Amino acid sequence: MSRTNTAPARPRAAAGDGANRWVVLVVLCVSLLLVALDATILHVAVPSLTEDLRPSSTALLWIVDAYPLICASLLILFGTLGDRVGRRRVLLLGYALFGVASAVAALATEPSVLIAARALLGVGGAMIMPATLSILRAVFPDRRERATAIGVWTAVAAIGAATGPVLGGFLVENYWWGSVFLINIPLMALILPLGRRLLPESRGAADGPWDVLGALMAAAGVLGCVLGVKRAGAGDPLLDLPTAGPLLLGAALLVLFVRRQKRRPHPLIDTGLFARPAFTTSVGCIVLAMLALVGLELIAVQYLQLVLGLSPLETGLRLLPLTFAAMAAGATGSYTLRRIGPRRMVGWGFVLTAGAVLLLVLMGEHDRPLLLTVGFVLLGFGLQTTLFSAYESMLSEAPQKSAGGAAAIGETSYQLGAGMGIALLGSVMNAAYAPGLRGVPGVPEEAGRAAANSLGEAYQVAGRLGGTAGDALHQAARHSFVNGLHVTLCVSAALLLAGALMALRLPRVMECPVDPEDREDLEDLEDLEDTEGAGGPGLGERQAVDGPARSVERARKAGPSGPRVPASREAVEPARSGGRPAR
């Protein structure tokens, strides 16, 4: 006997909206790919851009940093706004803004215009990033399917970040610097109507007014923290006012924001999420993983270009093994998570990454392609394994009504980890590099101090000196940089091993709690199966319905709170395997 579904429209699988949820995943991944590309594609275009627009050093800094700064600061604002007004609505608006800002950036003839366009790109990115993850949470209520979707999602993020320099190098060498922005426009023109037609609308908790003041406090607090961290990473003294001021102000605003949320009956972000060890640990693991990844990538790019003398395009190609390994980790992540559980997956991912980092200590002043390839493969696989499991655990700990806020927290931790990685590992690198340039024979003291700022500047100073002194400074700078690289890699390995210890607080097995809202969504899927008619759904749709339907049946038997079921095959079907669920 079939039931009549009288429940109001809820966020559920896209099948109810005329599109398969795996098609929805493709649209969301293309959205994320564009945002991830834009975060790194400009780096190789900076020399060409500088020659054309002639920006000041401050303007150039803002051209590069405006996008990540604005994006990071607005993630919580737009993530929680999407929970209230509709995540699809915020996402589509982000698409449109991203396309318009890309056109303005590509055609900019003044540094100020380009800075403004990069800031608008940051606003669009902040609308897109948490919306993709929260819609994914709503469209895939079954944790096993959601794990597969998050594996694809995290792999696409890695592809975008790593492909940016390669694509940017190709475009700059063959066209002009504005082409790195221009490629966004046709893609956005395609994805905007597709998203409007295929993406389902979903909302979270809508009780009470939206806390505008709290959202602005969170934005200003994150902006201050990220700005201070970036200044520290650029070499500014930590106790100087331009660095310490934003850091302290940002931290104070975030503390006030948390206190405000605890007092409000309808907070923007459920601070109770941080009382859950799995959620807090997952956020910490994301910060540590990004700290290692971004800091190491920055130093690796300098090593490949300045020590080995590779072009930007060749540098991007050398980093491709890292991308392919990350894709493989994302593709196999769901299976691995079901087999070994979050604790071992995150922990061993950190250990594998630390081993890859220590292997790269064998790099020297001469090219060793095989060593680099093996190291980058292990690094990409280990880090992507860690990020995948951390994101999956974090999102699964959050109820569907708080998906936007949880996604915003995850993305903010991602951005903070990236900024902290550049600041911390960059500072370690500078501290290990600079002493080697003191007292180089024949090099004036002033020239030695200038060369200690960076390897690129050391090469310029050596070129101006010329002769024996220039050759001595050039060789000393190369040697000091490689020595600093080794020290930095060892520090990074220690941080990664600390992450492995942190992962011990995660659950041993992949549990499948059924949120009450998710249970209703799963019942809708069961209704969909009942009402498909004589033809019935296709094989892919039937498999998608059957999995959630089994979860619904378990939920009914377990009572209103919902079960927590280990997701391995042996645990779900003990009779078939002849064993008992492992704990």
Side-chain angles (χ1 to χ4, degrees), residues 137 140-144 146 276 392-393 395-400 507 509-519 522 551-552 554-555 558 560-567:
R137 170 69 176 83
F140 291 92
D142 181 73
R143 185 171 182 180
R144 285 170 292 272
R146 184 165 66 244
R276 303 184 182 189
E392 199 282 334
S393 297
L395 201 59
S396 295
E397 280 294 313
Q400 199 280 128
V509 295
M510 178 184 172
E511 297 173 333
C512 293
V514 179
D515 189 288
E517 293 182 41
D518 287 345
R519 190 183 307 123
L522 296 171
S551 297
V552 174
R554 289 195 298 270
S561 62
R564 301 184 72 88
V565 185

Side-chain angles (χ1 to χ4, degrees), residues 395-414:
L395 201 59
S396 295
E397 280 294 313
Q400 199 280 128
K401 66 180 182 180
S402 303
I409 291 171
E411 294 298 336
T412 303
S413 64
Y414 184 100

Side-chain angles (χ1 to χ4, degrees), residues 12-321:
R12 56 190 173 95
D17 291 279
N20 186 282
R21 56 191 173 280
W22 298 105
V23 177
V24 172
L25 177 63
V26 172
V27 176
L28 296 178
C29 285
V30 173
S31 312
L32 181 66
L33 180 64
L34 289 172
V35 176
L37 271 174
D38 225 67
T40 58
I41 197 171
L42 182 64
H43 294 169
V44 295
V46 167
S48 175
L49 180 156
T50 303
E51 184 179 351
D52 189 12
L53 298 184
R54 302 291 181 184
S56 65
S57 57
T58 303
L60 181 61
L61 184 65
W62 279 105
I63 288 172
V64 175
D65 287 345
Y67 176 81
L69 281 174
I70 298 299
C71 184
S73 63
L74 296 179
L75 286 168
I76 292 177
L77 189 154
F78 286 119
T80 56
L81 180 63
D83 283 344
R84 295 300 182 100
V85 304
R87 296 151 185 161
R88 173 177 170 271
R89 181 178 299 175
V90 172
L91 181 62
L92 295 178
L93 183 58
Y95 288 163
L97 187 58
F98 207 84
V100 171
S102 297
V104 174
L107 302 176
T109 57
E110 296 290 336
S112 58
V113 176
L114 184 55
I115 292 172
R118 289 279 288 170
L120 284 177
L121 281 169
V123 176
M127 291 179 171
I128 293 171
M129 291 175 70
T132 59
L133 198 54
S134 53
I135 291 175
L136 185 151
R137 170 69 176 83
V139 169
F140 291 92
D142 181 73
R143 185 171 182 180
R144 285 170 292 272
E145 289 188 344
R146 184 165 66 244
T148 302
I150 292 176
V152 176
W153 186 88
T154 54
V156 168
I159 292 169
T163 306
V166 181
L167 182 59
F170 171 79
L171 291 172
V172 171
E173 287 183 8
N174 291 278
Y175 301 99
W176 95 109
W177 62 265
S179 60
V180 301
F181 299 109
L182 210 58
I183 61 170
N184 293 336
I185 298 174
L187 291 173
M188 281 299 173
L190 174 65
I191 199 171
L192 183 59
L194 282 178
R196 185 177 179 184
R197 178 172 181 176
L198 299 178
L199 295 178
E201 184 59 282
S202 67
R203 291 180 176 84
D207 298 330
W210 186 56
D211 184 10
V212 179
L213 178 59
L216 294 177
M217 288 173 62
V222 173
L223 178 61
C225 289
V226 175
L227 181 59
V229 166
K230 280 187 171 291
R231 285 188 178 275
D236 293 352
L238 187 60
L239 298 180
D240 279 8
L241 184 60
T243 303
L247 270 175
L248 293 175
L249 180 60
L253 285 172
L254 289 178
V255 170
L256 292 175
F257 169 75
V258 172
R259 294 182 63 182
R260 179 181 175 85
Q261 298 309 299
K262 287 182 176 179
R263 292 196 305 265
R264 290 183 65 84
H266 304 292
L268 283 176
I269 290 178
D270 181 9
T271 55
L273 290 173
F274 289 97
R276 303 184 182 189
F279 185 88
T280 307
T281 302
S282 297
V283 170
C285 289
I286 291 171
V287 172
L288 272 178
M290 286 309 301
L291 188 152
L293 176 62
V294 174
L296 289 175
E297 277 192 343
L298 178 65
I299 296 170
V301 167
Q302 294 179 11
Y303 171 78
L304 293 172
Q305 291 188 0
L306 299 178
V307 176
L308 300 185
L310 302 181
S311 69
L313 181 57
E314 290 172 330
T315 299
L317 292 174
R318 282 293 186 96
L319 293 172
L320 280 182

Side-chain angles (χ1 to χ4, degrees), residues 299-300 303-304 308 357-366 368 371-372 376 482-483 485-486 489:
I299 296 170
Y303 171 78
L304 293 172
L308 300 185
V357 167
L358 292 176
L359 178 64
L360 292 175
V361 172
L362 299 176
M363 294 188 302
E365 297 180 33
H366 302 287
R368 301 181 67 179
L371 172 68
L372 286 174
F376 286 157
V482 172
N483 179 65
L485 174 62
H486 293 165
L489 290 172

